[in-house]
Amino acid sequence: MRTEQNTFTVSRRNFLRTSALAGGGMLIGFNLFTACKKEATLPKEVIDFSSLNFNDFNAFIKISDEGYVTIFAPNPEIGQGVKTSMPMIIAEELDVPWDHVVVAQADYNKKEYTRQVAGGSQSIRQGWDALRQTGATTKQMLINAAAAKWGVDASTCKASNGVITNANGDTFGYGEVTKEAAALEVPENVALKDPKDYKIIGTDAINVDMDKIVTGKPLFGLDYKKEGMVYASILRPPAFGQKLKSFDATAAKAVNGVIDVIQFGDKADSVKDQIKGFMRVTDKVAVIANSTWAAMKGKKALNAQWEEEKLESTEDHDKELLKILDGKKFDVRREDGNVKKAFAEADKIIERTYESPFLPHNCLEPMNFYADVNGEKVHLVGPIQTPQWSAGYIAKMLDRPEEDVHIEMTRMGGGFGRRLYGDFIVEAAEISSTINKPVQVVFSREDDMGAGTYRMAIKYRIAASIKDGEITGYHLKEAAVNSNMYGLIPHFFPAGCIANYKVETGNYQSNITTGAWRAPYTNFLAFAEQSFFDELAEELGKDAVQLRIDLLQNVKGTQDENIQYSGQRMEDTIRLCAEKGNWGKAPEGVYQGFCAYYSHNTHVAELAEVELKDGQPVVKKVVAAVDCGIVVNPTGAINQVQGGVLDGIGHAMYGDLTFTNGNPSARNFDNYRLIRMQETPQVEVHFVENGLSPTGLGEPGLPPAGGAIANAIKAATGQRLYKQPFVKYLNQELKEVKG
Amino acid sequence: MPNYTLNVNGQSMSVNVDADTPLLWVLRDELDLVGTKFGCGIAQCGACTVHIDGQATRSCQLLVSNLDGQKITTIEGLSENGDHPLQEAWKEVDVPQCGYCQAGQIMTAASFLNNNPNPSNEEIREAMQGNICRCASYNRIEKAVAIAAKKVS
């Protein structure tokens, strides 16, 4: 098993810089991702303290003369909670009371920062060492400054809760020694706390933006206002595979409040081949108005004609994907042993096909962005997971140096992967540069759902060979629209557990745009694989939990460095879940389903309980066990797992987007079903306590949910589900699940 | 454009907008009260919920011209110091993830608890069914409403 330790040491060269602030206080910067990423460039060797400013580093600690601490968070907050949990780690080692800490969002700055991306559940895992070192080193500098003032040896002094104490019992608050501390050498190899001494890590800290959220203060992209700003509503082709032929703006221009109607898209189109990454570019029409409502009304009044190229439908995709699964054109992603031989010698072969639809992200805050492109600068404000990519694209598109591009990242009303793709920020910049005004682009819900970068439709065919009561071979084929599973995924369970193992992928290229969606690929794969194992357990006459534990013994001690999941940690997680959820001991009328899945460096097991109400299966409870190492902020962690489980249930149960001649089947919530409160079970969350370094939680709670409820529904109704959304494929009499 | 005088959060406010402008956009674009959120525009998600004379109402489907002196309350005016029992319960339970839907959730719950100060869990689940939380913080919303109900009654 590969152990991924973040290796770095504190040094002035690559890590910390300090300076006294003109207005009092001390500023400490740390380059978080230089510390984490091998490929990151190091700042220059000689440090000119006078040149330091707030933009020099990925994040900062600012300590005021009064001892209050401001921590600047480099990466955007999409609801995953890192704006709260990352500063907690610094505050722990700095040893300040949490209520003395203020958290502020840093702006994007490519010149000085290295990696401002939100995604992949990696912030906590990658930041763990660097954040702790930063807090501890800062604390040591404050101690050193106090010791110097007292004229005593620093080793005789201690610091706790923002106060430094010497052997005589004299004290200094942190704020009283910040000026002196800022002038000191940065100490190296400062000792970190023993986890048993933690005072903040492992305790509940509520969302740092809580007060603003519950009182409706401006926080999100759509809340941003600027004097002189206008609004833009954009008309895009209604169907994938269409292009604008012509349009008549007479009626739109007659709408009260409409300022202008422009065709655009050429600028973005001219550079799309030069920049890596998806970009939705077609010629589009923007209605510019002095209010959001006028812009939306104006858009509705546009009369446009469209040219049709290739219009695709779900039945085409189904046919193409099944053709791939039936064919021989695959890329082999992993192969162990001899699958062909195992299958040839088998007593029995079980083969099943699993099918999923497209899914829109449906962030509740629709896509939007503010742009002010003027002679001096390109000022962009809004919700984006990938500011660096956006800045690069926009600089190229506008033929401006990247230094001109300034991005302010707002709190995001959900991300789920959609805001990795910056089509809306590019649109805002192009429109502003065309009309020479600051503008906010606002997607309607119909724009948001209809012009998505959807979770692609995927089909899996999984086969297993059984010989003498054992699983001897495993063969998984993936057929997906546009792109295939990440390189890591073929090495997840059951890789390493079954001697003869093969994963192959194939894809069909479509003009329907697709991309990452919360827990990419595994959001559906986990259901397919884990209901397959449930069926295998049934076939072998084994307990479903025991079968998984038995298989996991085979991966323990593996030397295969591609395999990142741990047999032991997975087993411990499974056992905890089975114990807390009383596996196998369900009371009369309660049906259990089990699922365990490793993704995004976190091991998760979930046990679902289903009851029948008027013959219909209702998910009543889910017990989740999670191994994410040390739990930094339990309340935030539980929230992430509960949300992930319910999100996973909702999309497995109801999530469905199909296409007819390029038109998506839904554009708003009147005909797209999201899980709502009455369909939600209670989710109970337990964490494996092992003291290991923490991993992320934004995604890994989601993938096992679909498998857990599918297996419970099988136990309750006898029906095996092979396709999502389940509500569509449950037997007719079971179809109308309470809603 | 016609002029409308609105009673928002206890204050009289005057706006010049078209008669078909939904209250949501009057609040957000004209009065800078951005706590009321745009989610779907068709009264399906509940993010835009405000109170009209104390009753939870979807502001995205309520035209400014259909208002006639009613008292409009937005999340900004729910309590003077952000200490309504629901706001307190939201903090106690640490409800939000992204936070975008929460103002609408709180406004729906506040009106519901006014009408039914002592609800059962089933009644809470039914009352909150119209509000989507895309992050699915539903367990905590349910719990926070129950806690607030205890404080109210």
Side-chain angles (χ1 to χ4, degrees):
Chain A
M1 177 184 147
R2 181 159 66 185
T3 53
E4 289 214 347
Q5 290 293 331
N6 296 321
T7 52
F8 73 88
T9 51
V10 179
S11 75
R12 285 179 56 171
R13 201 176 63 144
N14 71 354
F15 188 48
L16 262 156
R17 296 180 184 182
T18 62
S19 75
L21 293 172
M26 169 193 189
L27 180 65
I28 298 175
F30 62 97
N31 193 327
L32 177 62
F33 291 103
T34 294
C36 297
K37 302 292 274 186
K38 283 181 201 136
E39 68 268 27
T41 53
L42 300 177
K44 33 182 201 291
E45 192 92 26
V46 182
I47 296 162
D48 174 9
F49 282 113
S50 65
S51 72
L52 289 174
N53 60 56
F54 275 80
N55 291 327
D56 270 358
F57 292 93
N58 264 333
F60 289 94
I61 302 169
K62 187 171 73 172
I63 303 174
S64 73
D65 289 346
E66 294 77 35
Y68 281 89
V69 179
T70 304
I71 297 174
F72 289 81
N75 286 3
E77 170 68 46
I78 61 175
Q80 81 280 45
V82 294
K83 194 173 169 185
T84 306
S85 54
M86 291 177 87
M88 284 175 77
I89 299 171
I90 294 176
E92 177 68 65
E93 290 289 350
L94 182 59
D95 217 323
V96 285
W98 179 241
D99 58 7
H100 287 191
V101 175
V102 174
V103 178
Q105 177 71 57
D107 291 346
Y108 168 73
N109 185 324
K110 192 210 171 180
K111 197 175 165 194
E112 303 292 352
Y113 298 170
T114 46
R115 185 183 176 274
Q116 291 179 287
V117 178
S121 300
Q122 292 302 306
S123 298
I124 290 293
R125 177 174 165 263
Q126 292 197 21
W128 175 241
D129 286 344
L131 294 164
R132 285 184 302 153
Q133 292 278 6
T134 298
T137 306
T138 309
K139 181 172 97 171
Q140 189 59 52
M141 291 172 78
L142 292 162
I143 293 173
N144 292 352
K149 271 181 117 168
W150 283 316
V152 301
D153 191 321
S155 65
T156 64
C157 304
K158 280 180 179 153
S160 181
N161 287 323
V163 177
I164 304 148
T165 312
N166 68 16
N168 301 325
D170 305 323
T171 61
F172 276 125
Y174 283 3
E176 296 176 90
V177 293
T178 53
K179 279 194 190 76
E180 292 81 357
L184 292 178
E185 286 285 313
V186 177
E188 296 188 17
N189 303 317
V190 173
L192 297 174
K193 278 186 178 179
D194 185 324
K196 73 173 166 47
D197 297 327
Y198 285 162
K199 290 181 279 192
I200 296 173
I201 291 171
T203 65
D204 292 338
I206 66 168
N207 195 314
V208 290
D209 287 330
M210 179 67 80
D211 286 337
K212 287 180 178 171
I213 289 169
V214 299
T215 56
K217 298 287 185 301
L219 259 183
F220 299 93
L222 275 181
D223 302 343
Y224 187 78
K225 305 275 175 192
K226 195 85 184 205
E227 192 67 33
M229 169 179 113
V230 295
Y231 299 83
S233 185
I234 299 169
L235 183 71
R236 302 173 186 78
F240 289 87
Q242 284 182 328
K243 271 192 158 180
L244 183 69
K245 190 175 170 189
S246 63
F247 70 99
D248 177 2
T250 314
K253 283 182 175 170
V255 170
N256 230 346
V258 169
I259 299 164
D260 202 358
V261 176
I262 61 162
Q263 188 176 340
F264 75 106
D266 287 354
K267 286 181 191 168
D269 195 50
S270 68
V271 291
K272 73 175 178 197
D273 297 331
Q274 299 170 46
I275 306 267
K276 207 179 157 199
F278 158 77
M279 177 47 54
R280 168 194 302 286
V281 185
T282 58
D283 35 8
K284 294 171 271 202
V285 183
V287 175
I288 317 298
N290 59 20
S291 74
T292 315
W293 179 243
M296 287 179 171
K297 255 171 85 177
K299 190 184 98 171
K300 282 193 184 126
L302 278 174
N303 186 358
Q305 278 76 47
W306 309 97
E307 273 176 316
E308 290 173 359
E309 294 183 338
K310 188 185 166 209
L311 302 180
E312 300 179 18
S313 297
T314 290
E315 53 187 39
D316 305 327
H317 299 139
D318 283 344
K319 215 179 290 170
E320 293 294 340
L321 295 182
L322 288 172
K323 203 161 85 187
I324 290 169
L325 291 181
D326 290 338
K328 289 184 165 29
K329 277 180 73 181
F330 287 101
D331 294 322
V332 177
R333 310 298 289 264
R334 181 182 172 105
E335 190 169 15
D336 300 331
N338 189 334
V339 168
K340 204 174 169 184
K341 187 160 173 272
F343 277 69
E345 294 170 355
D347 298 332
K348 188 164 186 180
I349 290 166
I350 312 272
E351 184 184 89
R352 298 288 182 264
T353 303
Y354 300 86
E355 304 180 52
S356 75
F358 290 86
L359 292 179
H361 296 82
N362 286 334
C363 303
L364 205 56
E365 180 191 16
M367 298 306 113
N368 67 88
F369 231 88
Y370 166 89
D372 182 8
V373 179
N374 58 49
E376 271 174 51
K377 60 176 181 167
V378 177
H379 185 211
L380 304 156
V381 186
I384 182 78
Q385 287 176 253
T386 48
Q388 188 169 334
W389 177 91
S390 305
Y393 198 104
I394 288 165
K396 195 145 229 167
M397 174 177 84
L398 301 175
D399 196 19
R400 301 276 292 252
E402 272 197 52
E403 290 72 33
D404 284 5
V405 182
H406 177 72
I407 302 178
E408 286 179 51
M409 295 174 288
T410 59
R411 189 176 182 88
M412 300 188 222
F416 310 105
R418 176 61 181 92
R419 291 189 226 268
L420 291 166
Y421 308 97
D423 45 329
F424 42 88
I425 186 174
V426 172
E427 288 175 343
E430 183 170 357
I431 292 170
S432 177
S433 75
T434 306
I435 64 172
N436 294 311
K437 282 192 178 82
V439 67
Q440 186 178 55
V441 162
V442 181
F443 280 39
S444 65
R445 176 56 55 191
E446 290 78 8
D447 298 336
D448 192 279
M449 210 182 291
T453 50
Y454 310 105
R455 196 281 303 275
M456 61 291 284
I458 304 183
K459 298 189 195 301
Y460 290 104
R461 183 162 292 158
I462 314 180
S465 58
I466 295 172
K467 174 93 177 158
D468 302 329
E470 299 291 332
I471 302 165
T472 55
Y474 184 90
H475 189 182
L476 181 142
K477 297 178 196 172
E478 176 187 87
V481 171
N482 291 340
S483 63
N484 292 109
M485 61 168 74
Y486 291 141
L488 285 171
I489 298 173
H491 310 292
F492 288 179
F493 179 86
C497 293
I498 299 171
N500 305 297
Y501 173 94
K502 191 173 185 180
V503 171
E504 296 179 295
T505 62
N507 67 59
Y508 166 76
Q509 291 301 310
S510 165
N511 58 19
I512 292 166
T513 48
T514 58
W517 192 101
R518 192 179 193 178
Y521 301 92
T522 64
N523 53 45
F524 178 66
L525 172 60
F527 148 71
E529 174 205 292
Q530 287 286 305
S531 25
F532 186 71
F533 274 94
D534 220 55
E535 216 167 328
L536 289 180
E538 210 173 69
E539 180 66 33
L540 296 167
K542 283 193 177 181
D543 176 80
V545 167
Q546 194 57 49
L547 172 69
R548 289 169 173 90
I549 290 173
D550 290 348
L551 285 167
L552 285 166
Q553 305 313 313
N554 302 332
V555 76
K556 289 180 182 173
T558 180
Q559 297 300 306
D560 184 341
E561 65 167 26
N562 286 317
I563 292 178
Q564 287 191 1
Y565 77 97
S566 151
Q568 188 60 53
R569 294 180 75 170
M570 195 78 247
E571 180 183 340
D572 293 346
T573 309
I574 288 172
R575 287 192 188 280
L576 180 65
C577 183
E579 179 207 323
K580 296 289 183 187
N582 293 312
W583 172 250
K585 296 174 205 148
E588 180 81 22
V590 175
Y591 303 90
Q592 296 178 321
F594 199 87
C595 187
Y597 205 77
Y598 164 92
S599 68
H600 302 275
N601 309 99
T602 298
H603 301 76
V604 183
E606 292 171 16
L607 189 162
E609 290 186 358
V610 162
E611 294 175 24
L612 291 172
K613 196 174 176 188
D614 305 325
Q616 301 163 7
V618 180
V619 186
K620 299 291 273 191
K621 186 179 169 186
V622 174
V623 176
V626 180
D627 176 1
C628 60
I630 290 168
V631 180
V632 175
N633 182 14
T635 176
I638 291 168
N639 214 354
Q640 288 304 306
V641 177
Q642 287 180 324
V645 169
L646 296 180
D647 192 10
I649 291 174
H651 282 90
M653 206 77 192
Y654 313 115
D656 191 16
L657 195 77
T658 58
F659 289 88
T660 306
N661 296 322
N663 280 286
S665 56
R667 295 179 194 273
N668 208 326
F669 299 131
D670 53 345
N671 53 7
Y672 188 89
R673 189 169 175 185
L674 286 169
I675 192 166
R676 290 170 184 263
M677 191 178 280
Q678 282 185 300
E679 292 108 27
T680 57
Q682 295 301 310
V683 183
E684 193 181 295
V685 183
H686 302 275
F687 293 101
V688 175
E689 288 178 31
N690 55 21
L692 296 169
S693 295
T695 57
L697 282 174
E699 287 156 307
L702 185 146
I709 65 165
N711 293 338
I713 290 171
K714 163 65 173 63
T717 67
Q719 185 186 355
R720 278 268 171 225
L721 291 158
Y722 298 100
K723 297 183 186 185
Q724 290 184 355
F726 298 154
V727 72
K728 197 167 171 178
Y729 299 102
L730 278 165
N731 285 333
Q732 201 59 40
E733 64 268 25
L734 300 170
K735 206 167 175 180
E736 281 310 308
V737 174
K738 191 175 183 326
Chain B
M1 269 188 272
N3 181 276
Y4 297 94
T5 302
L6 304 176
N7 179 342
V8 184
N9 299 330
Q11 287 186 315
S12 181
M13 296 179 172
S14 179
V15 290
N16 285 306
V17 291
D18 276 335
D20 66 352
T21 310
L23 175 62
L24 168 68
W25 296 112
V26 175
L27 293 171
R28 291 189 57 85
D29 287 358
E30 306 298 324
L31 302 177
D32 282 348
L33 290 168
V34 296
T36 305
K37 299 302 187 204
F38 168 54
C40 70
I42 59 165
Q44 292 289 311
C45 76
C48 69
T49 305
V50 297
H51 293 177
I52 303 297
D53 285 341
Q55 296 306 310
T57 306
R58 302 292 163 86
S59 65
C60 73
Q61 288 285 295
L62 180 61
L63 306 189
V64 65
S65 51
N66 288 345
L67 286 159
D68 186 21
Q70 290 104 319
K71 281 165 69 179
I72 301 160
T73 309
T74 69
I75 186 72
E76 290 92 341
L78 182 65
S79 64
E80 213 163 300
N81 302 309
D83 55 359
H84 184 282
L86 280 159
Q87 289 166 319
E88 292 294 321
W90 244 246
K91 293 176 208 173
E92 185 181 329
V93 180
D94 189 27
V95 173
Q97 288 178 40
C98 85
Y100 192 77
C101 74
Q102 301 295 350
Q105 304 275 3
I106 290 171
M107 295 307 282
T108 298
S111 164
F112 166 64
L113 291 185
N114 274 338
N115 298 332
N116 183 358
N118 198 10
S120 69
N121 265 3
E122 270 317 302
E123 286 170 330
I124 292 172
R125 285 165 70 87
E126 196 183 330
M128 303 307 294
Q129 178 73 357
N131 285 68
I132 292 173
C133 173
R134 177 63 185 85
C135 305
S137 65
Y138 293 114
N139 279 186
R140 289 189 173 192
I141 293 170
E142 189 177 338
K143 191 174 168 189
V145 176
I147 287 173
K150 282 202 188 97
K151 287 181 183 166
V152 169
S153 61

